Amino acid sequence: DARVTQTPRHKVTEMGQEVTMRCQPILGHNTVFWYRQTMMQGLELLAYFRNRAPLDDSGMPKDRFSAEMPDATLATLKIQPSEPRDSAVYFCASGSGQVANTGELFFGEGSRLTVL
Amino acid sequence: GEDVEQSLFLSVREGDSSVINCTYTDSSSTYLYWYKQEPGAGLQLLTYIFSNMDMKQDQRLTVLLNKKDKHLSLRIADTQTGDSAIYFCAERSSGFQKLVFGTGTRLLVSP
């Protein structure tokens, strides 16, 4: 059963600490997205990759956030230093990236981050 | 830029029909989507419609697209308590697979 896997599912940390969230996309998918969900802002696109190359990270605060794909099976989202306003659920999603297809994205279950 | 708007909340009784509305701004959208999010879970695709279609029906779901007004709706017939969730409208912008999501509509179905 192919699915997107995210770790950790829950993370509580103190302000100023580094946080790293990981995502394993569905095997064979070549587009990966990071979204952040909060009550106030809804679902915001932070960054996305195609064939491991970053295509758009304009939604990400550059001073503290970084997103990478070290290889095709791993995407990471790092926050350093973390702040209370970063508290949210972070979703990773992957897709097959073919223009001809429907563009469906498959979402992980999310990483719930609480920064105290 | 792209923008997708939805009402925040809808409450219906079990057995009634639910209609969730969405407006978008990108006239070059190729596909429009409805995703469902249950508590504590990620989003799952419910249905989608290609921009050259006006309507799509899939069992209890009916999607209507008005391209002129850039309005999309999702109708759920015979709504059940298990349909209680957040429903997101999304558009696919031109180019790759980037999806822009609306704020989500929380549907509450009461017995």
Side-chain angles (χ1 to χ4, degrees):
Chain A
D1 184 24
R3 58 192 180 111
V4 175
T5 304
Q6 290 186 245
T7 57
R9 290 294 316 278
H10 302 274
K11 175 74 175 179
V12 180
T13 192
E14 292 187 343
M15 183 173 64
Q17 296 298 304
E18 178 179 300
V19 175
T20 299
M21 288 167 276
R22 293 177 174 81
C23 167
Q24 181 176 5
I26 291 174
L27 190 64
H29 281 186
N30 65 345
T31 57
V32 174
F33 298 76
W34 283 105
Y35 286 90
R36 175 171 65 183
Q37 184 178 32
T38 61
M39 289 290 290
M40 296 300 294
Q41 301 295 330
L43 205 59
E44 302 172 276
L45 177 65
L46 296 176
Y48 78 104
F49 296 77
R50 186 168 190 258
N51 295 326
R52 295 176 55 200
L55 290 187
D56 184 356
D57 61 1
S58 58
M60 209 164 62
K62 300 292 190 304
D63 56 338
R64 299 182 300 107
F65 284 61
S66 61
E68 295 179 345
M69 281 201 74
D71 61 60
T73 64
L74 176 65
T76 62
L77 180 66
K78 188 176 295 186
I79 309 174
Q80 167 63 17
S82 58
E83 297 180 2
R85 60 180 166 150
D86 300 329
S87 298
V89 182
Y90 291 81
F91 286 103
C92 175
S94 70
S96 67
Q98 295 176 19
V99 175
N101 76 3
T102 61
E104 177 181 2
L105 292 187
F106 294 81
F107 281 76
E109 294 188 314
S111 293
R112 180 177 293 276
L113 173 65
T114 303
V115 184
L116 302 174
Chain B
E2 312 101 341
D3 194 20
V4 180
E5 299 282 342
Q6 297 178 241
S7 54
L8 291 180
F9 189 74
L10 176 65
S11 179
V12 300
R13 288 198 175 276
E14 193 173 22
D16 288 349
S17 292
S18 307
V19 179
I20 302 172
N21 294 300
C22 168
T23 57
Y24 60 97
T25 57
D26 187 356
S27 56
S28 67
S29 296
T30 51
Y31 285 94
L32 295 122
Y33 306 83
W34 285 103
Y35 277 78
K36 177 183 181 182
Q37 183 184 30
E38 297 187 353
L43 281 69
Q44 283 191 303
L45 180 67
L46 264 185
T47 187
Y48 65 91
I49 188 167
F50 188 51
S51 58
N52 68 353
M53 298 168 65
D54 297 325
M55 186 183 86
K56 180 178 180 181
Q57 188 145 4
D58 184 1
Q59 298 182 335
R60 291 190 297 123
L61 306 178
T62 303
V63 178
L64 295 178
L65 175 60
N66 181 328
K67 281 195 69 176
K68 175 176 169 290
D69 295 337
K70 298 192 186 70
H71 182 266
L72 183 74
S73 68
L74 173 69
R75 179 176 179 271
I76 305 173
D78 187 25
T79 314
Q80 303 297 306
T81 54
D83 295 324
S84 293
I86 302 176
Y87 291 81
F88 289 90
C89 167
E91 63 170 356
R92 177 180 172 183
S93 64
S94 56
F96 296 113
Q97 265 186 289
K98 176 181 171 182
L99 296 189
V100 177
F101 286 86
T103 50
T105 299
R106 186 177 294 274
L107 174 65
L108 178 64
V109 184
S110 53

